[in-house]
Amino acid sequence: MPPKKQAQAGGSKKAEQKKKEKIIEDKTFGLKNKKGAKQQKFIKAVTHQVKFGQQNPRQVAQSEAEKKLKKDDKKKELQELNELFKPVVAAQKISKGVQAFPGSY
């Protein structure tokens, strides 16, 4: 028999989701029923932090900029390849009565 595979260190996605929901519930206990923009903003911030990690806007903007640069580089490279390996233009067709080269009969 082959050896058994090791269990995932982080667990399944459902288990991770349950852990995140538990953390959100613990941090926002008793605040969901309160009125006021301050509590609602706090709840929204906590849920966002738990679900998406501790990424600050600067890191997100930097990663987006890197993606954009990679995309631009790829586009330039493709354009350069197209420029180098242009398809051959088909020769012009000459009608029957016209001479191809003047002076040749």
Side-chain angles (χ1 to χ4, degrees):
M1 281 179 63
K4 293 182 180 179
K5 294 181 180 178
Q6 294 289 332
Q8 292 179 352
S12 66
K13 289 184 180 180
K14 286 186 179 181
E16 286 183 34
Q17 188 68 22
K18 285 183 181 180
K19 284 181 183 178
K20 288 180 181 180
E21 292 296 326
K22 176 99 170 89
I23 292 170
I24 292 170
E25 194 65 35
D26 289 343
K27 288 187 176 183
T28 60
F29 181 77
L31 295 176
K32 290 188 177 181
N33 294 331
K34 299 214 180 220
K35 293 181 181 177
K38 193 172 185 180
Q39 280 84 11
Q40 298 302 322
K41 285 181 184 178
F42 175 76
I43 292 168
K44 188 175 182 181
V46 168
T47 55
H48 191 291
Q49 284 177 350
V50 172
K51 286 185 181 179
F52 302 110
Q54 295 280 357
Q55 294 182 346
N56 62 9
R58 186 179 294 165
Q59 288 176 338
V60 173
Q62 186 178 11
S63 65
E64 287 178 9
E66 288 175 3
K67 286 180 185 178
K68 189 174 182 182
L69 285 173
K70 285 182 182 179
K71 189 176 181 181
D72 289 343
D73 288 342
K74 201 170 197 179
K75 192 174 183 180
K76 285 180 184 178
E77 184 178 328
L78 183 63
Q79 194 174 29
E80 185 177 315
L81 284 173
N82 285 339
E83 192 69 30
L84 287 173
F85 300 109
K86 277 187 179 176
V88 177
V89 179
Q92 291 182 344
K93 294 186 179 183
I94 301 172
S95 40
K96 218 171 191 182
V98 178
Q99 288 181 343
F101 300 104
S104 62
Y105 295 98

